[in-house]
Structure formats: C-alpha cells, structure tokens
Amino acid sequence: MDMFNKVTAFLQQALETREPSINLLDSFVDHWKAITNYYIETSDESCPVKHTDIPWRLRQMLDILVYEEKQQGEETGPCMEYLLQHKILETLCTLGKAQYPPGMSQQVMLFFSKVLSQIQKPVLHLINVYRPVQKLIHLCGLPDSQTEKEESQFLFAVCTRVKKDPYVLNYILEITKDSQKRSSSTSDEAVEKGCSEASRPERAPSPSSPSTSSAASSSPQEATGIIPVLIHLGKSEKSRVVLRSMESLLLLVSLPQEDTGHLLAERTPLCHLLAQRLTELYCLIPSSLDPADIHSYSSVQWRTPFTQDSTVENQSFPGSENVHRFFYFLDYCNELIKEAPRVLGVEMARAIHLQWLKGVIQPHLLQMSEVGILVHTALLSCSVRHIRSPVLLEELVQFLLGNDTHCEQRQDTHTHILRYRLIEHCNHISDEISITTLHLFEELLQKPSRSILTNLVLRNLETRSYRLSGSGAADERHAVESDLLEESEELEEDPFFTDMYEDSGFSGQEPLLSLPSGRERPNPSAHTQVADIVNSFLCLVPQEAKTSHLVQGAGYDTYVHDAHKQLKECTSLSRDWNWSDSAKTTENNPATEFYEGHFLQILFDRIARILEQPYELNLQVTSVLSRLAVFPHPHLHEYLLDPYISLSPGARSLFSTLVRVIGELMQRIQHIHNVTDRLMMMRRQLIGLEEETMVDHMTLLRGVIVLEEFCKELAAIAFVKLPIEEQ
C-alpha cells in the first residue's frame, strides 16, 4: 500500500509539472496515437502484448483521465471528451476481440474495469461508453476462455457502477422483444418439463442419469447479456472468478427499486438460469450417498469455499464435493432472494419451486425405490435446514404441505399427494425411511413459518372437538381420574396383571396411577394444577420399570434447562403469529367426530408401538412430539399436555395413548426376570457406562427406557410453560 501511494504521488507530481489542460490532452492523444501506430508499423503478429508498450500507454491514459476529473470538478475534461468523440472505447473493444497482439483482450478488459471503477462521474449512460461495454460483455463467457480473471473483474466493475447508478441498468441488459420472448419460452419449457416429470413418479430419473444431467446442464446457445455470462463464469474452476461473478450478480439483484425487480424478473432469464443451475448441481449428487453423512452435514455459507474454512474440510465423505457445491449454491440462492426486491425474490423462489422441487425432488420422493426415497428425503431435510429466505421457505412449505387450512377428514388421502406420502413414510415398513422422514418434519418444525404448524396440527384442533361437549374443567378432571381408575381396574382383572402386582408387593387394590381426588383439593390454584400435571407424567411409568433415579444426574430436572431453551426458541418463532393466550371457547354445536389429522395420527400410532420399535426410531418420534408440545399455543398445550381433559368419544390424546402403552408394559414386563436389574444394565449400556452386549428383550427394554425419559421430558415441558409468577 505504501508503494502504491508513492507511485500515485509521483504521477500526480509529474502531471502537475505540465502545462495545464492543453498539455494533458496532448499527452493523452500522443499515447493513443502511439497505440494505433503500433498496428500500422508492426508486422509481427506473434509478439505478445505484454512485450509491447501498449499496457504502459493504457495505464498512462487512465492516470490522465483520473487526474483530469479531479482537476475539472463537475465539468467534463478535454481528455474525456476526446475519448468519447473519437470512440476510443469502441476501437479498443474491436482490438480486444481480434486478440491482436495476443493478450490484447486482457488489457482492454483491465482498462475498461479501471475506467468504470476510478472515474467518479456517471458515464455508463453515454452511448460511446455503454455500446462498447455491451460489446465487451459479449466477448465474456466464451468456451475455453483464457481471460476469465479479467472478465470477472470487468463485470464486477460494471455491476458496481450499476449499483451506484441504478438507472443505467437498462443500458447494459440489451433487452429486446426477441430476447424477452426467448426468455419466456425457455422458462415455460422448463416449467412444463418439470411438471410433466413430476406427474410420472414411477419413472423418477436417477440423479446421475445422462438425460437428467444433460437437461439440467443445458444452457442457451448464445450467452447474450450480462446475466447469462455471470452464471456461466460461476461455473469456473477458478475460485476467485466464481466469487467475483457471484458478487456481481448479487449487486444487480440487490438493487432496491421495484421497477428494476420487475425488469430482472420478467425480461431477463435470471430466474430460469438460477433455478437451472441449482437443479444441475443437485443432479450431480451421487445416489450412493450414506444418509448418515447427510444427516450430520452442518450448515454452510456460500462464501465458505473462498475463505478456506476448516469446518467444511472436515466434512469429507464419498460424494461430499458435489454435496458441498449444491449447498453452497442453495445458500447463495437464499442470499439473492433475501436481498432482492419482493417481486424478484418471489419469481426466483417460484422458479426454484417449479424446476428443482417439483421437477426433480418430487419424482424422487414418490418413487418406489427405498434407496432413492431414503437419500432424497435426507437431502431434502438438509435443504430445509439451509433455507433461510422467508420467500423461498414459503414456496417450500407450499410444495411439501400445500395450503389447505380446513380441518382434515379421514378420507382426505389425495388432496395433496406429496404431503400424504411423506406423512405415510413416517410409518414406512423401512425404519430408516421412517426415521429420515420424521427428521424432515422435525426440521420443518424448526422453521419460522406459521403455515407449517397450522397445516400439520392446529387446523384440526381449532374447534377443540377432542373435548367432551359440555364438560367443565372440574368435570374433566374428575372424568379423567375416573377413566384412569376404570382402566386400572380392567388391568387388575387381567390374571397376568394381578400376578405381576402380587409378585412386586402391591396390594392389588391400588390404582395404576395414584392421582389425588378432586374432593381433596377444591378450587385448586394454577400452581397446584400444573404440579398435578407434572406428577401425572412422572408417575406414568410404574416404579419397577423406572431406572433413572438409580443413575446420578438422570432426574426429571435435567430436562428443565433444555425445555426452557426450547420454549424460548418456540416463543420467539411464534411471536408474530397472533396466537391467542387462552383456548377458544367451544360452541354448543352438534358433536362431530374428532380427527387429530394425518400427522398426529401417525405420531400417536408410532408412540403406541414404542415398546416394539427400534431405539433410534423411538428417539425420533419422541423428539418430534416434544417439539410440538413446547409451542405456546393453548389448544396444542391442552391436547398434548393436559391429562385432565375429558375426551370426546373415539378421540385420543397423547396422555391417553401413553396410558395404554403403560397398560401393555405392565403385562409384558411380568415375563422378564429381574426386570429392574436388566433395565439398569441396558441404561448403563446406552449411556456408555458399560460395553454394549446382546441381551434378551433388548427392544422392549430400550423402549421402556425411552418411555420413561419421554414422560420426564413432557413433565419438564409442562413445568416450564407455567406462568413465570407461578414457578
């Protein structure tokens, strides 16, 4: 930097010693004539330009222009007028195109770049500037180009100038009716192609198949205009070129004026080319990926490969290079859509929806191959985690779930085929597919979108028809206690249940759950009610099946900290969703059959089989349910966390489902000798205190441990959702 300052000062001093403006003009003209004389006098066409004095003379001309502008102030100096009147930029552009002498195009692009970046006055609106700039843009992005570095610098200078003077955008886009027509037809063909492929899920293309790759990577034969050239340079093997081209496109897209947003969205191929590039990178990801590698893939930012972040270098696995490239570009799309004017952001997100999500992702999710479903569900789950743009998230939610807001009916199986199939995949015969799809929904529940909760759960709880019509809070508490007593009596009548209790020292006259009678605490306080709710979950698992109290630091209070953190996060997410603080008053309408909806139905079915499912699957099911329970919506809280609601005929809640699981547990563990010791050994294995060994009833024992931990987690969530003054 010191050397640069010294050179600049020297040049200024040298220029200041000249006679004023007339000598500057003479010097400027002399340098230009020396360049033109080279072509007249020199016959050696093989001599590289760097071995001539052309680069030096171009630098001198630039220095004169910059100095003149500082001296002239607002007026245009004679040197700049000479440059414009004699069409010097036009001539340089022609010389650069001819590549004579060899390397001349690099020198021309450097000169243009410096003129645009160092001259402060607006110049791009002048015909003798923007015409040669347009021609030089046409020389960029050619196949096998050796000037990518200079091209990226030139285009960055152009975009920087446009960012400074947005009105000149029209002068560099070269928009004509023909180009607009070509752009529209290309986008329409891509949409039509994507939709037609999506309608044939049984013939989903392989991501590495030639047809898919060639279709995705195809680009317009004429990369006319600055935007196609920037997209082309974004595919370069040189990281610096890629960074410059991406930064340049971001400068154009982030112009705040709505009219420029309309212009870029409707009259350029920007949206189509962006979605096409994303689709192309996705199709290059091998289908042989290990889903575990995808699940553990951490979020990346699009600038990461240019900063050599060691975090990404550590994420290495077979196929990781293609995965990196896709998620870098997906994050870049996020940035573009977030920074763009709303109208442009919506069009970019819509193009991504049609070309990538609907055209490529959907056929893979609806295919019959379990391997394909597994890999692409994992990739989609990771993509959900990376999507930060609200506009793109809105398109993603519409793609996955649709936009229905009315209550679901049991026969609604084809209103939105992809939503139906994804929820069914949570109950797939393949445990891996079930776990991966549940993980996808868990990722969705992390996103700041009210539509996700409404679509999956809340629309079915809106009328509170899960409650017995006409019952008050006290009646509900008494009714639930009676139901629990009746259920325990039914279990006590079972000979296996009676024998088990006799062996364990119980009198056989005690209820399954020891809940205090409503008559013992008239007008209970809110604190007492919540304490009862917490104890209801803590007392669900019978004592002989509990083992957490035998391990230090494994009590229910260990979940309180995490529950506080999750509640804070969910409250922050839902702050602007206009949820009521209290439950909606139920109307005395004729009783309608309650249906919890497809999503909760599958989750409750899964939790009902917790004693016979793999450990990893149980962890994922309980993780999704606990996430739902944390959200501060009164109906969701009541339905998932209140054991005292009186359920309408045929309805089930999370608590009632767990009670039935406990009933099954009581019958099954009586056949296991020393069940508490076996559970303790299994718990120690799961937390790594003992070496894992094969034992009898492993699935059941692990299921019991997950059940106990889940009940503690629900108790902690119920506790932290107390009003602050009640805690």
Side-chain angles (χ1 to χ4, degrees), residues 511-529:
L512 177 61
L513 297 176
S514 298
L515 294 175
S517 168
R519 291 173 296 180
E520 296 177 7
R521 51 181 188 330
N523 301 320
S525 67
H527 184 84
T528 305
Q529 292 179 18

Side-chain angles (χ1 to χ4, degrees), residues 237 315 317-326 328:
E237 296 296 324
Q315 298 189 80
F317 50 86
S320 61
E321 184 177 350
N322 290 322
V323 173
H324 292 331
R325 288 178 179 174
F326 170 74
Y328 291 149

